[in-house]
Amino acid sequence: MSVKDQLIKDKLPKHIAIIMDGNGRWAKKRGNARVFGHKHGVTAVREVTEASAELGIEYLTLYAFSTENWSRPKTEVDALMSLLVTTISSETKTLMDNNVRLNAIGCKSNLPGSVQKRLDECINQTSGNNGLTLTLALSYSSRWEILEAVKAIASDVESKKFNIEQLDDAMFGSYLSTQGMPDPELLIRTSGEQRISNFLLWQLAYSELYFCDILWPDFRRDDLYRAILDYQGRERRFGKTGDQIKK
Ligand code: FPP
């Protein structure tokens, strides 16, 4: 039986988040510049997007560029930014064909104007789609997002929109850029690294973590299915005992 056929259809995660890692090492192994790996990473992005849409996953969030990535060599940052522009343009049709709605989180104003423009165009063009929501985390870091939320909350408390005692989990979540999305049930990180790297720290509180050695440009549909299958075999307890969960 194929890996896909082994998946339990009514136990799919609603939201999968992925730290796409290993592009640089993939390129280096082939004697190429790091950007060669990023270019090939686009194939993996297309594969997981199409496979997720086909399975009926509701949300897929990809860590495409972190706040910390700005400190990479300028040539790599520039190449990544222009890759984003060309990929968003060339992949808009794939998104439309698969009923995918594009979304972005992160400090958008830090991105070059050309990226902001293409991003906005694609977000507008796909806004009527109601299948998978594909969120790109761009110039994103979780500590930045949490600090932004804290500042907005402080300002709303100061202007007496609500009382600080009313602040709870759900209200805090509504100040984050993932507002309205369920928390990811599954986080995947490729390339053998086992870290969260400042990604969705609040939202990943109860997520199942899946690490695999595959370098991102080699990640394919079957690898996504394998991660979901592994997730489906886990017992999610949310702090309760195993016996309580089985009841
Ligand atoms: C991490 O690998 C990858 C990135 C920082 C960039 C991810 C970008 C893409 C997959 C291409 C474009 C994406 C979209 C959504 C259009 P790394 O460079 O840290 O690899 P290394 O750990 O081997 O050095």
Side-chain angles (χ1 to χ4, degrees):
M1 207 180 356
S2 72
V3 201
K4 190 183 179 191
D5 290 339
Q6 292 173 53
L7 297 177
I8 307 162
K9 300 284 177 291
D10 58 5
K11 217 184 152 189
L12 290 169
K14 277 195 170 65
H15 186 174
I16 301 177
I18 307 185
I19 302 178
M20 311 180 285
D21 197 9
N23 294 351
R25 277 164 283 166
W26 189 91
K28 203 173 168 200
K29 267 171 63 179
R30 286 159 180 80
N32 272 297
R34 299 176 52 80
V35 65
F36 183 70
H38 298 317
K39 282 185 184 155
H40 282 266
V42 174
T43 309
V45 170
R46 190 184 308 119
E47 285 253 332
V48 294
T49 304
E50 286 178 345
S52 301
E54 211 175 278
L55 282 176
I57 305 290
E58 292 176 36
Y59 297 90
L60 174 67
T61 300
L62 304 177
Y63 206 4
F65 194 86
S66 71
T67 310
E68 292 75 22
N69 286 153
W70 288 115
S71 50
R72 290 193 174 192
K74 188 178 180 309
T75 46
E76 183 175 345
V77 172
D78 289 349
L80 264 168
M81 292 301 138
S82 71
L83 182 63
L84 276 169
V85 172
T86 53
T87 307
I88 294 166
S89 304
S90 64
E91 297 300 320
T92 303
K93 187 179 179 310
T94 313
L95 299 182
M96 292 306 291
D97 290 347
N98 288 278
N99 193 22
V100 178
R101 190 169 68 91
L102 186 71
N103 177 38
I105 56 172
C107 186
K108 219 160 94 180
S109 59
N110 277 351
L111 297 168
S114 55
V115 177
Q116 290 184 39
K117 186 170 174 284
R118 283 293 149 86
L119 207 53
D120 286 343
E121 283 166 1
C122 187
I123 289 172
N124 283 336
Q125 204 178 329
T126 60
S127 63
N129 294 343
N130 59 7
L132 172 76
T133 296
L134 170 66
T135 299
L136 299 182
L138 290 168
S139 192
Y140 172 90
S141 84
S142 197
R143 288 186 176 181
W144 164 82
E145 177 186 46
I146 290 171
L147 281 173
E148 288 298 302
V150 170
K151 287 180 208 166
I153 290 166
S155 152
D156 284 351
V157 169
E158 204 173 23
S159 59
K160 306 218 175 334
K161 275 201 186 144
F162 65 91
N163 187 308
I164 194 67
E165 308 306 328
Q166 291 170 265
L167 186 65
D168 60 9
D169 263 33
M171 198 192 265
F172 190 85
S174 74
Y175 279 84
L176 297 174
S177 52
T178 50
Q179 177 251 326
M181 295 187 204
D183 289 340
E185 294 95 328
L186 172 63
L187 170 82
I188 300 171
R189 182 172 188 151
T190 59
S191 91
E193 305 295 343
Q194 303 196 352
R195 289 188 293 277
I196 304 296
S197 299
N198 215 349
F199 188 43
L200 303 175
L201 298 178
W202 174 272
Q203 299 87 337
L204 293 176
Y206 284 102
S207 307
E208 296 297 328
L209 310 181
Y210 178 88
F211 301 104
C212 65
D213 289 335
I214 304 160
L215 301 177
W216 179 251
D218 288 330
F219 199 86
R220 292 292 174 270
R221 285 165 178 261
D222 272 355
D223 301 308
L224 178 74
Y225 302 146
R226 262 179 221 110
I228 299 174
L229 196 63
D230 187 276
Y231 157 82
Q232 292 186 331
R234 302 202 193 172
E235 183 181 69
R236 305 192 73 213
R237 294 214 290 261
F238 303 97
K240 296 183 178 167
T241 68
D243 286 344
Q244 284 176 303
I245 295 300
K246 281 180 193 105
K247 269 181 200 157

